[in-house]
Amino acid sequence: MNLLTLKDYEWAMGIALKEAELAAKKNEVPIGACVLAPDGKVLSSASNFKEAPNDPTGHAEILAIKEASKLLSSWRLLDCTLVVTLEPCVMCMGALWQSRIKKLVFGAYDSKGGAISLGYELHKDKRFNHNFSVIGGIRHYECSKILSNFFKQRRSNYNFKKI
């Protein structure tokens, strides 16, 4: 049974935000995630790692799920919660479904790439053999800010030629 509270999710989002900061320092898109056991213990945490290894699946969610699965020696993360700084994409929502996660908690909404914002509500599609609950907007401002600052910095480093 998962009896975690909003306060627990806010605390865990702090861990995900630290992972996002680590990603930014590595010039990766600053997204962080962690997987919580039913009692709130952190099983794993990860940040995006796509750019350096040229790995399109190197999303923080996927990496955190893989690490938690190894730790538990099971691909089934029953009664676990994934906390992530940005609304997951369709690929990551599929991984959450496949891992049998119980709950997704995310920070910033993503109108351009977030599965839920784009209408892909895989978490509650009754045609699937597993559903999970979702809470969005936890520490939204901080999660959005780290992303907007990262992309603002990258844009300022571009050299635009005048035509």
Side-chain angles (χ1 to χ4, degrees), residues 4-157:
L4 300 178
T5 67
L6 184 59
K7 190 172 184 176
D8 294 321
Y9 301 140
E10 289 172 345
W11 170 80
M13 190 61 75
I15 293 166
L17 280 161
K18 285 181 181 154
E19 287 287 347
E21 290 168 7
L22 290 172
K25 288 177 183 172
K26 295 176 191 171
N27 211 23
E28 297 279 346
V29 175
I31 300 170
C34 63
V35 175
L36 305 177
D39 64 0
K41 176 185 172 198
V42 177
L43 295 173
S44 65
S45 64
S47 55
N48 262 17
F49 193 55
K50 285 174 55 174
E51 301 299 328
N54 294 308
D55 181 358
T57 66
H59 291 205
E61 300 96 320
I62 303 284
L63 299 174
I65 287 169
K66 287 171 99 170
E67 187 180 327
S69 294
K70 276 186 188 175
L71 180 70
L72 296 176
S73 298
S74 175
W75 60 267
R76 291 178 180 92
L77 299 180
L78 302 172
D79 295 323
C80 292
T81 300
L82 181 107
V83 178
V84 62
T85 56
L86 184 66
E87 176 186 349
C89 68
V90 174
M91 176 182 70
C92 290
M93 288 292 278
L96 289 164
W97 167 64
Q98 286 290 334
S99 70
R100 307 303 192 261
I101 211 94
K102 182 170 183 150
K103 184 176 282 187
L104 161 66
V105 175
F106 68 88
Y109 286 85
D110 183 2
S111 62
K112 294 178 182 174
I116 298 167
S117 290
L118 293 173
Y120 299 104
E121 297 186 329
L122 304 177
H123 63 289
K124 62 182 182 179
D125 189 328
K126 297 298 180 199
R127 296 171 294 177
F128 290 132
N129 63 345
H130 174 72
N131 298 127
F132 53 95
S133 61
V134 175
I135 299 173
I138 302 296
R139 295 178 70 171
H140 172 80
Y141 178 79
E142 293 164 88
C143 294
S144 296
K145 193 74 175 157
I146 193 169
L147 284 160
S148 60
N149 286 345
F150 176 79
F151 287 112
K152 184 185 215 179
Q153 177 66 36
R154 286 187 70 163
R155 283 189 300 272
S156 71
N157 289 336

